[in-house]
Amino acid sequence: MDTLRTFKTGTGTDGKFNSLPALQDQGFSNISRLPVSIRIVLESLLRNMDGKKVTAEDIKNLANWNAAKPGNYEVPFTVARVVLQDFTGVPLVVDLAAMRNAAQEAGADPSVVEPLVPVDLVIDHSVQVDFAGSQQALDRNLKIEFIRNKERYEFLKWGQQAFDSFKVVPPGIGIVHQVNLEYLAKGVLEKDGVHYFDSLVGTDSHTTMINGLGVVGWGVGGIEAEAAMLGQPVTFLVPEVVGVYLHGKLNEGVTATDLTLRLTEILRAHGVVGKFVEFYGPGAKALSLPDRATIANMAPEYGATMGFFPVDEESVKYLRGTGRSEETCQTVENYFKAQEMWGIPDKGDIDYTDDLTLDLASVVPAVSGPKRPQDRIDVPELGSKFNELFEAPTSDGGFGRNADSRNTVIDIHMPEPAGVAIGSLLDNPQPGAEKDKAEMVTNRPTPNEVDASKAFEPIDTKLTHGSVLIAAITSCTNTSNPSVMLAAAMVAKKANKLGLKIEPYVKTSLAPGSRVVTDYLNKTNLQSELDQLGFQTVGYGCTTCIGNSGPLHPAIEDGIKKGDLVCASVLSGNRNFEARVHGSIRANFLMSPPLVVAYALAGRVDLDLANDPIATDKDGNLVYLKDIWPTPEELHEVIDSALVPEVFNHLYSNLETANQNWVEIQSDTGDVYSWDDQSTYIQNPPFFDGFSRTPDTEAKDIVNARALGIFADSVTTDHISPAGAIVPTSPAGQYLLENGVEKASFNSFGSRRGNDRVMTRGTFANVRIKNLMCDGIEGGYTQYFGPQDVAAPDQEIKAIGEGKPSFIFDAAEAYKKDGTDLIVIGGEDYGMGSSRDWAAKGTRLLGVSAVVTKSFERIHRSNLIGMGVLPLNFKDKEDYSKVVDQADATFSITGLSGKLTPAQDATLTVTKTDGSSFDVPLVVRIDTPAEVDYYLSGGILPYVLNQILDNAEA
């Protein structure tokens, strides 16, 4: 395929590129009608075709993409770069460090192990709102962040100096997606004289925010991100593409957040899971780039892989306004024009699988909640909706309360305001409280506690159902958008002028997505207005949106319990699943930043904010929303302060020295990390134990294996992966106690993802997982059939035959001593849910050789292969019922020996305790030749290491 052509770069010189119009001229006549997002992926296939990872057949498949029936094939997409956040990024850097150790042990220069594409890690997930409502909050929260995360930050700082293509954006700079939008993204990249589309994957679901800039990218699990870092394709099933035709204009007072929540409602109802969504039409063209980014950001909430906007004049205007060079901006424009992909398409230009339409004039101010982002409520209806949900059963999304408790009032006495934390790590640097067990509550690296360091006038107040306890201007979704941030500040200004105050029980916070926000709020003299109202800056990170909302005042916690109150949070975030924002707050509403300020002023959510009075002013007059809402003219006066190129260039220069706390972190140096055996956060994982420079060329049968677990349908990666609180009586808890970690300092599994010793012990240990080998029991238990003594678990479990009830980890360790292979048996949709890398890593480290199921979720199947674990399906799903009760049997999988081929047959032989046996036909779920190579190498990490060492020796 001869497609290499030239175009004029921004410097006026010729640049090479793989031309899609040239490919169209070679018999693929439909390319100009393909969705723009599909064409960007197609260019990557064209550029990376090597006959193995990417074949000519792959290109033909995608070039002939059929909107009505896209097909059922995998697309091997090689991305241009990778972005990480610190929470999920640490284990990936741990794996790279381990790979360097393995290279050194193989006699090679360890520095040959290097990410093959640029990798940027932004530290944004670790700051918590311990302090709020004061000018000292930012500094205090930052200090506590560094106390909690010292080991992790030392390790990341080593990685920054060790790897040339790995960069770290320190704490206190911003949220990964906003930093990506404002600084990291370039639109078009160049290597060896060839220009190509910017594209990426990230280890955070809201990576899709960059789709607003016309960059293809989405969130993936850790193993997929590792593969991408090491130059391997990220494979995905060819998607349907849903077009959304936007037309009309937003009415006065309607924000980009309102539009995004409406689109989330529409698209979730339509069903776009696993699909690309592409916005087009005059309404899309008229949206500002930050508005587009807000919509793109919430693709995970409406269920899409992407929420994509093509590149046009507005895209380049944003690049220019955020300080990208004139050369970069002109190159982007010229490149997209050369690819015949410049501009927002209009009706009829593109073929889509489905085509939806939205008139922007139909959008009205709204919130979403109280438990799901797609449950949109018009602002006037929130009060009545809250009352309706108060009595509705929990099965219908309600709170299941009795009407006679609706008017409960609880008196609260607080010696200090709600934003002052009690029991500070600044006084006692020991990370804090045991965490709740639900993953959405605990998927954060911070505990909930802290201290008041000065006296305040005592406060007496009252709480009721519907009281707003947290009001947070937070999240990449909205804090990247100057129009809504300035609108929030204007609401504060008008409220201050009227003498309005926020109730003392409301914990208010402002967490900008980058320091640029602070700059334009200061320049417009609006930061002081937010400060006066209590919305002082608490940190530059995800904060409340990911559950790092910090503690509620103990008096408020006691009041909630005493009255069993249904209290609320209001936040400009993207997720509001139950207990995610705070474990004690049951109703959580997503909304625009100006509405966050307005509901904070009201102090409650059970009202019609559009028509009911919010408060009384200093003269005793009733104040309504219209009295404090900014006009378009008022916003227009300040909006031009937001995109000033010199500000972006200044604030994103010298990131290394921007945070003095980061400068003072002392780290290891050199190409190889000096592992600390005493660390309970960072350890050298055993993924390269037994690494061979001559990997197997043939597979081996699995003989006389035991079942570690037998599971029913719909076991998710949340069930499998270590998540939530670490229970003291569990293997992970016992490990920490044995290593001198007190229970109060356990932290969550999430914060210890860099330590395989903890994570392996937590695999298959979710408190809600049901191993059918332990009838009627929930949790990480199994039956061990072997000669070893195993510790009794922490609850009574009935033994099956000669089995010994035990923790799954303890049984796995005993089988390892026995030299016994292990398998896992599952039902339908095994591994569904989020793509959690430790669901596959932990399975491998427990000694599981194969997982046999009715069906797999696509990504988890791929991740198992990536860790050297063989996935298989029952050829006839009904055969699952034959093995589900065979807990005490042995299992052999034959037909694997010799040359392994994709989708080949195999046989499961089940041998019962009485010596009788029966066979069940299986299908090997290795689907591509590349996956054969990964599996035979023991996983993708050893496979890539061998490739790296081969290249170094060449």
Side-chain angles (χ1 to χ4, degrees), residues 691-692 695-696 868 932-944 946:
F691 171 72
S692 171
D696 293 336
V932 172
D933 290 341
Y934 296 160
Y935 174 70
L936 292 177
S937 296
I940 196 165
L941 296 177
Y943 171 80
V944 171
N946 267 316

Side-chain angles (χ1 to χ4, degrees), residues 10-34:
T11 62
T13 59
D14 284 344
K16 297 176 183 176
F17 75 112
N18 286 276
S19 168
L20 294 175
L23 183 63
Q24 176 160 297
D25 292 340
Q26 295 174 31
F28 299 99
S29 59
N30 195 46
I31 286 176
S32 62
R33 296 195 58 81
L34 295 180

Side-chain angles (χ1 to χ4, degrees), residues 787-801:
Q788 309 290 336
D789 291 326
V790 289
D794 56 0
Q795 64 172 293
E796 279 291 320
I797 299 172
K798 183 180 178 181
I800 295 177

Side-chain angles (χ1 to χ4, degrees), residues 154 199 251 257 301 326 339 427 429 562 630 774 800 843 927:
E154 288 171 344
S199 63
N251 291 316
T257 315
E301 280 64 53
E326 186 58 35
Q339 293 282 23
D427 297 333
K562 183 178 179 182
C774 299
I800 295 177
T843 299
D927 295 351

Side-chain angles (χ1 to χ4, degrees), residues 127 129 138 174-175 178 471-476 478-480 485 508-514 517-518 535-545 572:
V127 62
V129 189
L138 176 62
I175 302 174
Q178 189 161 340
I473 301 174
T474 178
S475 168
C476 52
N478 285 292
T479 65
S480 62
M485 295 300 287
T508 51
S509 63
L510 166 65
S514 82
V517 179
T518 300
F535 284 93
Q536 287 91 349
T537 299
V538 296
Y540 297 93
C542 302
T543 61
T544 304
C545 186
S572 60

Side-chain angles (χ1 to χ4, degrees), residues 15-270:
K16 297 176 183 176
F17 75 112
N18 286 276
S19 168
L20 294 175
L23 183 63
Q24 176 160 297
D25 292 340
Q26 295 174 31
F28 299 99
S29 59
N30 195 46
I31 286 176
S32 62
R33 296 195 58 81
L34 295 180
V36 175
S37 52
I38 291 289
R39 281 184 261 175
I40 291 175
V41 175
L42 179 58
E43 183 276 338
S44 170
L45 300 189
L46 200 57
R47 179 167 34 89
N48 291 287
M49 184 179 71
D50 61 0
K52 189 163 188 179
K53 292 179 202 161
V54 181
T55 66
E57 190 66 23
D58 293 322
I59 294 170
K60 290 175 184 175
N61 282 339
L62 199 59
N64 289 316
W65 182 85
N66 183 308
K69 296 180 179 179
N72 190 33
Y73 54 87
E74 297 275 328
V75 179
F77 181 37
T78 305
V79 297
R81 57 190 180 92
V82 174
V83 294
L84 313 172
Q85 41 97 328
D86 57 298
F87 200 27
T88 52
V90 167
L92 275 66
V93 185
V94 167
D95 291 348
L96 284 178
M99 190 180 283
R100 281 206 166 171
N101 282 99
Q104 187 176 52
E105 290 169 10
D109 178 355
S111 67
V112 300
V113 173
E114 180 76 29
L116 298 180
V117 298
V119 179
D120 294 283
L121 184 147
V122 181
I123 300 176
D124 67 351
H125 267 53
S126 297
V127 62
Q128 174 169 292
V129 189
D130 290 312
F131 287 92
S134 76
Q135 297 297 343
Q136 294 78 38
L138 176 62
D139 181 59
R140 289 176 174 179
N141 291 334
L142 197 61
K143 286 180 178 176
I144 293 171
E145 176 184 354
F146 274 81
I147 291 170
R148 286 188 178 124
N149 296 283
K150 181 172 179 285
E151 280 189 60
R152 298 166 70 240
Y153 290 177
E154 288 171 344
F155 176 69
L156 289 175
K157 203 163 186 183
W158 166 80
Q160 185 176 27
Q161 63 82 45
F163 298 101
D164 292 337
S165 51
F166 172 70
K167 307 298 180 194
V168 175
V169 176
I173 303 301
I175 302 174
V176 57
H177 310 307
Q178 189 161 340
V179 173
N180 191 20
L181 192 70
E182 294 178 350
Y183 174 62
L184 299 175
K186 300 295 185 286
V188 172
L189 302 177
E190 178 271 332
K191 184 177 181 181
D192 300 329
V194 176
H195 292 72
Y196 50 96
F197 295 109
D198 189 0
S199 63
L200 68 146
V201 289
T203 56
D204 189 278
S205 57
H206 294 97
T207 300
T208 53
M209 186 171 186
I210 204 64
N211 302 161
L213 191 57
V215 175
V216 163
W218 57 83
V220 296
I223 294 172
E224 290 173 289
E226 275 181 332
M229 287 164 59
L230 296 167
Q232 303 300 302
V234 174
T235 59
F236 61 95
L237 194 65
V238 62
E240 295 181 7
V241 182
V242 177
V244 180
Y245 178 71
L246 301 179
H247 65 98
K249 183 181 178 182
L250 293 175
N251 291 316
E252 181 178 329
V254 177
T255 66
T257 315
D258 300 321
L259 171 57
T260 302
L261 295 179
R262 177 74 177 116
L263 285 165
T264 299
E265 178 185 44
I266 291 169
L267 290 167
R268 181 59 75 168
H270 179 76

Side-chain angles (χ1 to χ4, degrees), residues 428-481:
N428 179 27
Q430 296 292 322
E434 182 177 343
K435 307 186 73 70
D436 207 314
K437 288 175 176 156
E439 168 66 5
M440 293 313 295
V441 185
T442 56
N443 190 15
R444 61 185 90 127
T446 53
N448 281 349
E449 54 189 274
V450 224
D451 164 76
S453 57
K454 64 176 183 177
F456 295 88
E457 290 295 318
I459 297 165
D460 290 296
T461 187
K462 298 178 186 295
L463 291 185
T464 63
H465 296 294
S467 294
V468 171
L469 301 185
I470 289 176
I473 301 174
T474 178
S475 168
C476 52
T477 306
N478 285 292
T479 65
S480 62
N481 194 327

